[in-house]
Amino acid sequence: MRAVPTWTWLEGHPALDLANTVKRTGMQEHDLLRSPRDLDSWLDAAALPAPRPETVDEADLAAVIALRDPALRLLRAAVGRGPWLAADVGAVNAVLLAAPEIELVGDAPGARTHQPLGEPAVLPRLLARLAAEVRDAAARPDLAFCDAPGCGQLFYRHRTNQAWCGPPCGNRARVARHGA
Ligand SMILES: [Zn+2]
């Protein structure tokens, strides 16, 4: 049986952890969410803004991919890689509208809590929170794309003009350029 991914590159940002389930080997992209087992391992490893379902099946995987794919395209479009498509906007907004919430004042200065309207099931609630994270991530000026071989990940820049998500990617990109 194929090994489940290790997810060691995830960095604890929900929207990016969702998008970065597509990863490069060399310059070839791979979808790492290909089975409910993959999804189960990702749910354990990723930063989640709401509780995860205890178990997941093929239908749950399809629901996650139905958010992940348009979310990935919009986040890439936000950094100038591809068009901002109305269909993707509609798909992410449909996930938000399926489990709407209001933000309330939290228990410390600057803190907010999220109150769903109604009683959504666990997965739609999680997907709506992830969609909200994607909406917010797409608006961040520090969102960036690492174009290095073996990466192709979205990340948040720590400084302006930062081209790679980290030094190993910068090194790999330089080696690839010298080899070309
Ligand atoms: Zn990188």
Side-chain angles (χ1 to χ4, degrees):
M1 189 187 268
R2 190 175 58 86
V4 296
T6 57
W7 309 113
T8 50
W9 59 91
L10 301 183
E11 293 198 330
H13 304 292
L16 304 191
D17 285 3
L18 177 67
N20 289 340
T21 53
V22 173
K23 195 174 190 310
R24 285 177 176 173
T25 302
M27 294 302 279
Q28 181 72 43
E29 281 192 352
H30 299 283
D31 184 352
L32 297 172
L33 291 180
R34 289 184 290 171
S35 73
R37 273 179 82 230
D38 295 338
L39 177 57
D40 188 63
S41 70
W42 177 80
L43 287 165
D44 281 343
L48 300 180
R52 57 158 291 172
E54 260 179 62
T55 60
V56 287
D57 59 18
E58 290 285 351
D60 298 328
L61 176 64
V64 170
I65 297 298
L67 171 64
R68 195 281 311 276
D69 284 351
L72 178 59
R73 283 191 293 269
L74 289 180
L75 291 171
R76 287 180 176 176
V79 294
R81 301 185 69 92
W84 184 267
L85 298 174
D88 293 333
V89 171
V92 172
N93 282 342
V95 172
L96 281 165
L97 289 164
E101 64 173 29
I102 51 174
E103 283 189 343
L104 301 175
V105 179
D107 55 8
R112 290 179 287 189
T113 59
H114 301 269
Q115 172 82 49
L117 301 175
E119 294 179 1
V122 175
L123 187 64
R125 170 89 181 118
L126 172 59
L127 292 178
R129 295 286 309 124
L130 282 168
E133 295 277 349
V134 168
R135 172 200 65 206
D136 294 346
R140 283 180 60 153
D142 55 347
L143 180 68
F145 181 82
C146 181
D147 202 16
C151 189
Q153 305 280 280
L154 288 149
F155 68 101
Y156 295 127
R157 284 191 308 264
H158 299 295
R159 54 181 198 282
T160 48
N161 295 334
Q162 181 184 343
W164 316 107
C165 69
C169 280
N171 290 335
R172 272 202 311 284
R174 271 184 289 277
V175 168
R177 256 204 312 275
H178 281 296

